[in-house]
Amino acid sequence: MGSWWSKENSSPGKDLRVFIQNSLWPFEDCWIQIEHAVNTICDVLQNPQEFPLVQEVAKGGSYGRGTVLRGKSDGTLVVLLSGFKQSGDEKISQREIILDKIWKRVEDLKHSMALEYNLQTQRSQGRLILQLSTKWQSIIFEVLPAFNTLGFSTKPSPQIYRELKKFSHSTAAYPGEFLVCFTKLQQKFFNNCPRNLKDLILLVKYWYQKCVKEMDKSSQLPQYALELLTVYAWEQGCGQDQFDIAEGIRTVLGLIKQYEHLCVYWTVYYNFEDVTVRKILHSQLWAQRPVILDPTNPKNNVSQDKNECWAQLNLKAHEWLSSLCLDDKSPGPSWNILPTTLYATPGHRLDKFIHKFLQPSQNFLDQTSKAIDIICKFLREKCFQRSEDQKIKIQDIIRGGSTAKGTALKSGSDADLIVLPESLKSFPSQKHNRFRIIKEIHKELEACQQEKKFKVKFEISKQKAPGVLSFSLKSIEFDAELEERVKFDVLFAFNVLGQWDSVSPPSPSVYAELIQLYESSDYVEGEFSSCFTGLQRDFIISRPTKLKSLICLVKHWYKQCERKLKGKGSLPPKYALELLTVYAWEKGSEAPDFHTAEGFQAVLELVTKYRQLCVFWLVNYNFEDVTVGKFLLAQIQKTRPVILDPAEPTGDVGGGDRWCWHLLAQEAKAWLLSSLCFKDGRRCPVNSWDVPTSQTLESYGAKLHHDLAEMLSSGS
């Protein structure tokens, strides 16, 4: 099976496109003949004098979707009728009359025209089959009369799906009748797919046909299911008109390997807003995986009862990908996507979802840690040793970001390496020396990349942001179901904390100096937050493991919203959601073990109440110092939301009106209304934590409140 691919594999992306064009596209002259024949037949069927009830002929199947393979393929001609609403025997009888009339008319057409193609008809009870053939192409069409459910609308109303649910329970409904009513929508759905995506679909279908020859044919999968899976892979992982076709096929096969988790659906023609449609969707999304819903018809799970076939395809996909492993033991890059959505994951399965799909493997974390040890040691020993700045010494390198905190995501997380040069003695010196020092560190990282060997792939970013140097480490393990990657930002900072022992809080003078600089210069908020990376890391790392897992879940939710809302406005920083999650847990639970769905619900409820949020901590700074105390008091009186960085008081990541919290709140409301995340195993709503939206000074004790009152009354 791998021979057809290996032949094209010397340069996969380029050669696969040539392979598709030369071997999978129908020949142009054959295609023109078939299109002419189809259009002729459709014109006859839409002649109001001969067929007065016919409103339109919709083209479906591979033909209608534009995914016809060279050789043999399928299609449907759905004859959309007005007044076709009878039930029971009367409906079946009328259907037979219509098919007989169409069959006789096509027979007349076949004998009355000198055709450049071969047209065969087959009439049996309940079915009419037309086979159009040219020298190199054959398409078998089934002709299906159907009620014109959609009328002339371009987007169905919820009422159509409510009627669909009602009619589907009727025993008089012809099997599959209501599926074909949505053929026009299917055609429209695929018309929006770019040409390269349809080429990828052809390749996936060709691969499937190769597999079928070696498989048990008793329970084959509809090719429509693989077409939809390919569209899903492209939408979630790429979305560009131009892409590497080899990456696309690897991604689709990677999803097939995870068929037991597949849950794929769209909300372009129906969604969760209507109560009846929401119930249909929930019923489908609760079903045993794999689930692939027709984007035009929520009652049509195109992969239902095909587990035996999926299991066989899984073996073929694994075998095929294994045969393609490169020198680094990986089959090559693919798109980072999940086989299921968080939205459709019931609350009692959230812990498994986090472990399976969000958290990096321990092996990758271990390899990353070893790689970072090598890089840090290299920088300590070699940095500035080959430059004019040999007098500069590195005091320490602080690890920060989600990887250091234990909240990294498998699909890509951030991490920080904060280099602390001995020569920087103040905040201003950090600002003035950034470009020179970063340039030197960049040079040393490139040398490290050449001189050291890593068990993870080490890539230095070519993007040049001011004062920041980035590189990434990614997994090269073949069996990784999702490419694991961590992006590192290398920054340098003034060692403001000195020999801080991480047990007691920093000296108040540190914050007083920062505040004075903030209030008296062109200081940009957060400009010196890198100096407090160790405090940010330790604030999270000391928390229970399950809270860090909840943070991972909230960050994944945030990334989903970020993708959906792209271009609509600036969302608050992800760090704000991390801190909000900690706050929700502190005020709502504080237990090391808790129900993840309850915590997730509490966080989203806080997001919906963003205009009331005032969240801060007094673990590293407090009101004891006059300068710091007055500044904090001013901070917490600002426009809501206020969420202060527990490591650095000038950092308000709530931001008041600075960010578009309302967009995030709208998404949170929608999720709270209809996501399965907030249903337990019995499909009952989960409980939520009772979390106050505003932190009060009184909660820190009467003495603090009294001291602040005295501070204000004295005018200090």
Side-chain angles (χ1 to χ4, degrees), residues 448-574:
C448 179
Q449 185 184 28
Q450 297 297 322
E451 294 181 25
K452 303 294 182 180
K453 291 185 177 180
F454 300 96
K455 291 186 177 180
V456 287
K457 196 168 183 178
F458 180 13
E459 297 175 340
I460 298 176
S461 174
K462 296 180 181 179
Q463 185 177 1
K464 296 181 180 179
V468 180
L469 174 63
S470 298
F471 68 93
S472 63
L473 298 177
K474 68 177 183 179
S475 171
I476 58 175
E477 292 290 323
F478 163 64
D479 274 329
E481 291 170 342
L482 202 63
E483 183 180 72
E484 298 175 296
R485 176 188 291 268
V486 179
K487 176 179 173 290
F488 284 84
D489 287 335
V490 182
L491 307 97
F492 71 97
F494 160 44
N495 190 11
V496 65
L497 300 178
Q499 298 301 314
W500 170 66
D501 59 10
S502 77
V503 176
S504 54
S507 168
S509 63
V510 169
Y511 294 109
E513 180 184 353
L514 178 66
I515 290 166
Q516 289 169 356
L517 180 66
Y518 176 78
E519 295 178 329
S520 64
S521 69
D522 59 349
Y523 170 85
V524 178
E525 184 177 319
E527 185 169 359
F528 300 108
S529 64
S530 58
C531 300
F532 302 91
T533 296
L535 293 178
Q536 294 173 338
R537 175 197 62 203
D538 291 352
F539 180 77
I540 301 295
I541 203 172
S542 61
R543 308 290 173 164
T545 299
K546 193 153 191 180
L547 175 56
K548 286 182 269 192
S549 295
L550 177 59
I551 290 173
C552 287
L553 187 68
V554 171
K555 286 166 64 176
H556 177 72
W557 173 80
Y558 175 89
K559 289 178 72 173
Q560 299 297 106
C561 296
E562 191 176 39
R563 178 178 181 145
K564 179 179 178 180
L565 299 170
K566 186 176 181 180
K568 295 185 177 181
S570 298
L571 298 184
K574 190 166 48 181

